[in-house]
Amino acid sequence: MINEISAVAFRQNLGEMLNQVQYRHDSIVINKDGKPVAALVDAQLFARIRRMQARFDSLSQRIEAGFADTPEAEGLAEIDAAVADARAGR
């Protein structure tokens, strides 16, 4: 479950929020001035997020290396064409 809380309320209820994350595996989104600024998640989820980020970064680097010789304008044109095809249902 994802809960939202203001930064002030979070600061006042830190112990309770930590328990929610640790024992119920909830996630807490912390808002400041009505805007989300941070999230508190359990350590296992955070580890998964870090692994996914590492895999994404590695894949991005491989894609970048594979297209290093492609001019930027040409690559962007190909992406635009692929998006247009996908939206047209081709």
Side-chain angles (χ1 to χ4, degrees), residues 6-71:
S6 71
V8 172
F10 178 78
R11 189 171 40 245
Q12 293 170 346
N13 298 293
L14 178 59
E16 180 185 335
M17 299 293 107
L18 289 173
N19 285 337
Q20 284 183 13
V21 170
Q22 181 178 7
Y23 299 114
R24 294 180 14 192
H25 304 287
D26 288 351
S27 297
I28 311 290
V29 175
I30 303 160
N31 295 320
K32 187 172 181 181
D33 298 326
K35 297 177 184 174
V37 294
L40 181 66
V41 298
D42 70 50
Q44 289 179 335
L45 176 56
F46 184 69
R48 273 184 50 207
I49 291 168
R50 289 181 72 182
R51 284 192 307 271
M52 290 174 63
Q53 181 67 48
R55 280 188 251 152
F56 178 81
D57 290 344
S58 174
L59 179 59
S60 295
Q61 289 171 356
R62 287 174 49 203
I63 291 170
E64 184 178 345
F67 288 93
D69 296 332
T70 303

